[in-house]
Amino acid sequence: MSAHAQMRAMLDQLMGTSRDGDTTRQRIKFSDDRVCKSHLLNCCPHDVLSGTRMDLGECLKVHDLALRADYEIASKEQDFFFELDAMDHLQSFIADCDRRTEVAKKRLAETQEEISAEVAAKAERVHELNEEIGKLLAKVEQLGAEGNVEESQKVMDEVEKARAKKREAEEVYRNSMPASSFQQQKLRVCEVCSAYLGLHDNDRRLADHFGGKLHLGFIEIREKLQELKRVVAEKQEKRNQERLKRREEREREEREKLRRSRSHSKNPKRSRSREHRRHQSRSTSQERKRTRSKSHEKRHRHRSRSSSRSHQRSRHLSN
């Protein structure tokens, strides 16, 4: 049994029964319309966000690791252009998430106490620094888990600098509004994952959010969407160039056929014309020969008659 077949058998055993309850996995090809092309490219939101607050549940299309393995092998020999299907899927999903983000932002604007544009800009600065701190802390935890202590310490130094900037920004924001209003929790909607962030969130809360599976999952999906857009654009451009090249080749062949056809239609006339000229030349030559022959015969008969009369006169004189 080949290594690929062994892997398929192992995956079948691990997968167990299929979604429709059959005792064996549903036997379909990866190119089937029922198969999730985003899953084949390892970017389906149902997989990426599984186990998060926004768990989407089971995808309506077939997810099968064995089919993904089949696709990865076959795609080395043939381009199936599944990137277009996956791009459309992710684009629709992100567009829906962005609409929900705008709705959440509008709801916040309606429920929270209105503040001037100047104060809002100061609050936004605090939110930006919160985001920076959260991302840095998430990176520190990742580096620590990888055992990269030295690099982790360098990032912590950046965290301390960001914390100092945040304290200054909070002081500016606090001095721009009444104390009672400052104590209210000012919320903000995360532009990446649509989660709510508080202006006064502590470091632990920020690290949990920006290093959490939900936020990182959305980053992965958004980055994958941009990659798919680039790949699709490149492949479409390549296909357009190939179609243009084939069309130019067909047009060139058609022009060549037309040229040959015209050349063929003209050649018989030229041949007949040359043959006609040769025939006329032969006829003229033969006519000249006949004329010269007749002339020669006339001269011969004339000489013969002249010789006969001269002979007769000689005989007459001799008598």
Side-chain angles (χ1 to χ4, degrees), residues 150-287:
E150 184 178 351
E151 190 65 26
S152 175
Q153 186 57 49
K154 291 180 180 179
V155 178
M156 274 303 303
D157 293 340
E158 296 181 28
V159 171
E160 291 302 324
K161 293 178 182 178
R163 283 172 174 167
K165 292 179 181 179
K166 178 185 174 182
R167 287 192 292 269
E168 293 177 3
E170 284 179 331
E171 185 66 23
V172 172
Y173 172 63
R174 181 185 295 107
N175 294 334
S176 66
M177 59 191 309
S180 59
S181 298
F182 177 76
Q183 294 302 324
Q184 294 179 6
Q185 178 72 310
K186 298 297 181 181
L187 298 177
R188 179 191 184 195
V189 181
C190 179
E191 299 287 347
V192 174
C193 64
S194 302
Y196 287 104
L197 298 172
L199 185 69
H200 308 303
D201 285 344
N202 58 34
D203 289 352
R204 182 70 266 164
R205 162 76 176 121
L206 295 173
D208 288 344
H209 171 78
F210 290 103
K213 187 177 180 181
L214 177 64
H215 187 83
L216 295 178
F218 267 95
I219 290 177
E220 179 182 342
I221 292 172
R222 290 178 183 275
E223 289 179 348
K224 185 64 176 182
L225 176 57
Q226 295 305 314
E227 178 187 346
L228 288 172
K229 287 181 177 180
R230 177 185 59 78
V231 171
V232 168
E234 290 176 355
K235 290 190 174 184
Q236 286 179 334
E237 177 63 22
K238 182 178 178 181
R239 290 190 173 192
N240 290 337
Q241 292 295 332
E242 290 175 350
R243 280 196 294 266
L244 179 61
K245 184 178 179 180
R246 288 194 297 269
R247 186 176 66 183
E248 291 175 347
E249 289 176 353
R250 287 195 301 268
E251 291 175 352
R252 186 166 55 252
E253 290 174 358
E254 290 173 358
R255 288 195 298 269
E256 182 65 19
K257 288 179 181 178
L258 182 61
R259 187 189 66 78
R260 291 176 181 175
S261 176
R262 287 176 177 175
S263 177
H264 179 73
S265 62
K266 290 178 180 180
N267 284 339
K269 294 181 180 179
R270 294 177 180 176
S271 299
R272 287 195 297 271
S273 177
R274 287 195 296 269
E275 182 64 27
H276 179 67
R277 289 195 297 269
R278 285 197 297 269
H279 178 71
Q280 285 182 332
S281 177
R282 286 197 298 269
S283 299
T284 302
S285 178
Q286 291 173 357
E287 183 64 27

Side-chain angles (χ1 to χ4, degrees), residues 24-56:
T24 57
R25 184 177 55 83
Q26 189 178 6
R27 296 293 177 178
I28 59 176
K29 294 183 178 181
F30 62 81
S31 56
D32 194 292
D33 289 339
R34 292 171 291 176
V35 176
C36 177
K37 303 305 184 290
S38 300
H39 171 72
L40 296 181
L41 293 168
N42 196 27
C43 62
C44 180
H46 292 264
D47 291 335
V48 178
L49 300 179
S50 177
T52 68
R53 180 175 57 82
M54 288 186 61
D55 192 318
L56 302 172

